[in-house]
């Protein structure tokens, strides 16, 4: 089902444009998997590319290139960014290890190496329902397991879009689910 959701995301991009489509997931593990798969499709199709920098370590290690969709994860007044600021990478400076981003609200923000190395910028091809609150997108395919869809979470996840998108159900149990 995850592959189908990413294919739906890619098809929706053809109709709407960059930044107007995001996958919605219940938890961070699924969000991260969807981000990796969507970014791989974006690279394959040439939607993103060019110079790349790698930031962070371990689980927070990420590569960024021109065109990447990102989300900031901490407020920083000096940079002019807030937790949840989303945008598109417009420039990569490998020497300074910095990213220039056009935020979705039109602001230009430069994220320096120290902010990036703390893991405070993540890919935003997929968002959690919580992170997507307040966002309005043209399309937002929702991905989750049947047990993820409480009335509240389902409402938040499905009310992010202007155009109806499909829901993708994952039949497998969570990898960390205990055997009963």
């Amino acid at each position: 089902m995850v592959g189908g959701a990413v294919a739906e995301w890619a098809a929706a991009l053809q109709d709407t444009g960059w930044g107007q489509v995001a996958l919605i997931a219940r938890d961070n593990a699924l969000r991260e998997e969807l981000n990796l798969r969507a970014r791989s499709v974006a690279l394959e199709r040439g939607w993103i590319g060019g110079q790349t920098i790698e930031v962070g370590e371990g689980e927070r290690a990420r590569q960024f290139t021109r065109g990447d969709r990102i989300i900031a994860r901490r407020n920083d007044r000096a940079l002019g960014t807030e937790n949840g600021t989303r945008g598109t990478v417009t420039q990569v400076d490998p020497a300074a290890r910095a990213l220039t981003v056009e935020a979705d609200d039109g602001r230009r923000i430069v994220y320096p190496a120290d902010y990036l190395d703390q893991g405070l910028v993540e890919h935003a091809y997929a968002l959690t329902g919580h992170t997507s609150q307040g966002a309005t997108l043209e399309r937002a395919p929702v991905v989750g397991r049947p047990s993820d869809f409480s009335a509240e979470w389902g409402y938040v996840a499905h009310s992010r879009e202007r155009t109806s998108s499909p829901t993708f159900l994952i039949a497998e149990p969570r990898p960390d689910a205990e055997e009963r």
Side-chain angles (χ1 to χ4, degrees):
M1 272 310 129
V2 172
V6 172
E8 175 68 23
W9 167 84
L13 278 175
Q14 303 286 71
D15 298 333
T16 62
W18 213 235
Q20 292 300 308
V21 180
L23 294 152
I24 307 294
R26 172 64 185 226
D27 58 55
N28 285 318
L30 180 55
R31 176 190 54 85
E32 195 64 30
E33 179 183 351
L34 290 166
N35 271 322
L36 289 171
R37 288 184 183 215
R39 187 173 189 274
S40 177
V41 168
L43 280 166
E44 287 171 10
R45 295 188 182 189
W47 297 340
I48 65 174
Q51 293 182 311
T52 300
I53 61 170
E54 186 166 327
V55 300
E57 295 178 5
E59 289 182 17
R60 292 184 171 225
R62 289 180 176 73
Q63 289 185 342
F64 294 98
T65 191
R66 185 191 45 75
D68 266 323
R69 290 291 298 160
I70 63 93
I71 186 168
R73 292 301 191 180
R74 183 180 296 157
N75 297 343
D76 189 315
R77 277 194 171 138
L79 298 179
T81 193
E82 298 86 30
N83 182 19
T85 297
R86 290 181 299 138
T88 302
V89 175
T90 57
Q91 185 177 355
V92 175
D93 184 341
R97 297 187 59 257
L99 299 176
T100 301
V101 171
E102 182 178 334
D104 289 352
D105 63 11
R107 292 178 293 144
R108 181 181 169 272
I109 303 168
V110 177
Y111 292 104
D114 63 332
Y115 190 89
L116 298 172
D117 283 337
Q118 294 177 61
L120 299 176
V121 173
E122 298 177 351
H123 294 111
Y125 303 103
L127 306 168
T128 62
H130 176 77
T131 301
S132 71
Q133 286 185 1
T136 302
L137 303 160
E138 288 300 321
R139 302 287 301 275
V142 177
V143 185
R145 292 171 177 77
S147 61
D148 291 341
F149 289 86
S150 66
E152 296 83 5
W153 186 81
Y155 173 77
V156 168
H158 287 99
S159 63
R160 300 302 95 209
E161 61 189 354
R162 290 184 180 102
T163 306
S164 181
S165 295
T167 298
F168 293 86
L169 293 176
I170 300 171
E172 304 90 35
R174 292 187 185 284
D176 58 354
E178 293 182 21
E179 294 288 327
R180 295 180 190 226

